[in-house]
């Protein structure tokens, strides 16, 4: 089922400061900040030779990452995103296997314009997993 590692996401309290650390201190290629109101975050992508880092800052009142940052005020690794060939088939298999698919189970369009789903961290080794249609 799992394809490439699409990105590793880091939740941060200040996305401009985090982007500057990656750009200026680590010398990385950093995208502009993009508000994603449908997901309650603002994103910045750091392009690496073999994958991407996604910086996330809360956006709006009900951001799904707000409580995460209350627990970890400096920020921290938030989720990992794997690509799958068929996100509906993957969802249906995972549901059959008893995994919890978040957000009601219907994919949303993610930061790359592709359908994405999230799987509950308690079912996957304490790690929030995002699936993105390849
Ligand atoms: C623009 C889209 C972009 C893309 O790549 O395309 C994105 O990635 S958008 C990213 C932001 N969106 C999401 O994260 C959506 C899915 N996430 C959620 O629905 C919530 O974050 C949820 C339900 C995973 C956790 O929400 P919350 O922290 O408010 O709930 P709880 O406090 O009840 O947490 C339950 C339980 O899970 C533990 N937890 C929470 N977040 C994480 C995490 N990131 N990694 C690991 N574990 C996590 C939390 O500590 C609780 O554990 P407990 O032992 O019960 O205390
Ligand atoms: Co993501």
């Amino acid at each position: 089922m799992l394809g490439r590692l699409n990105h590793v996401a880091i939740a941060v309290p200040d996305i401009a400061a985090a982007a500057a650390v990656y750009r200026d201190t680590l010398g990385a290629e950093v995208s502009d900040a993009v508000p994603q109101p449908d997901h309650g975050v603002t994103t910045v992508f750091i392009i690496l030779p073999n994958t991407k880092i996604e910086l996330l800052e809360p956006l709006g009142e009900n951001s799904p990452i707000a409580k995460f940052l209350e627990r970890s005020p400096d920020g921290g690794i938030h989720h990992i995103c794997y690509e799958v060939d068929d996100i509906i088939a993957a969802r249906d298999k995972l549901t059959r296997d008893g995994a919890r698919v978040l957000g009601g189970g219907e994919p949303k369009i993610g930061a790359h314009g592709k359908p994405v789903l999230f799987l509950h961290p308690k079912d996957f080794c304490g790690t929030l997993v995002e699936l993105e249609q390849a």
Side-chain angles (χ1 to χ4, degrees):
M1 176 193 295
L2 295 186
R4 297 182 332 140
L5 172 66
N6 183 276
H7 62 268
V8 176
I10 300 173
V12 296
D14 180 341
I15 202 163
V21 165
Y22 273 82
R23 185 184 55 245
D24 304 335
T25 308
L26 292 172
E29 180 190 342
V30 174
S31 78
D32 292 335
V34 178
Q36 301 278 357
D38 195 33
H39 291 270
V41 295
T42 297
T43 60
V44 162
F45 276 92
I46 292 135
I47 313 302
L48 302 177
N50 63 330
T51 189
K52 295 183 280 292
I53 302 300
E54 178 184 56
L55 300 179
L56 299 170
E57 181 185 71
L59 176 67
E61 291 307 306
N62 303 310
S63 175
I65 69 170
K67 279 178 74 177
F68 180 93
L69 284 167
E70 283 170 22
R71 289 188 291 268
S72 306
D74 294 331
I77 293 178
H78 183 260
H79 64 268
I80 48 179
C81 180
Y82 303 109
E83 293 178 8
V84 292
D85 286 336
D86 181 337
I87 198 165
I88 298 305
R91 177 202 61 191
D92 293 346
K93 181 218 184 295
L94 290 160
T95 303
R96 282 197 304 275
D97 291 354
R100 286 167 283 186
V101 179
L102 299 171
E106 283 312 306
K108 276 185 177 177
I109 299 304
H112 303 121
K114 303 276 189 70
V116 299
L117 282 172
F118 287 88
L119 309 177
H120 202 287
K122 292 293 184 187
D123 298 333
F124 295 93
C125 314
T127 304
L128 179 61
V129 171
E130 178 181 10
L131 301 180
E132 178 175 314
Q133 176 75 44

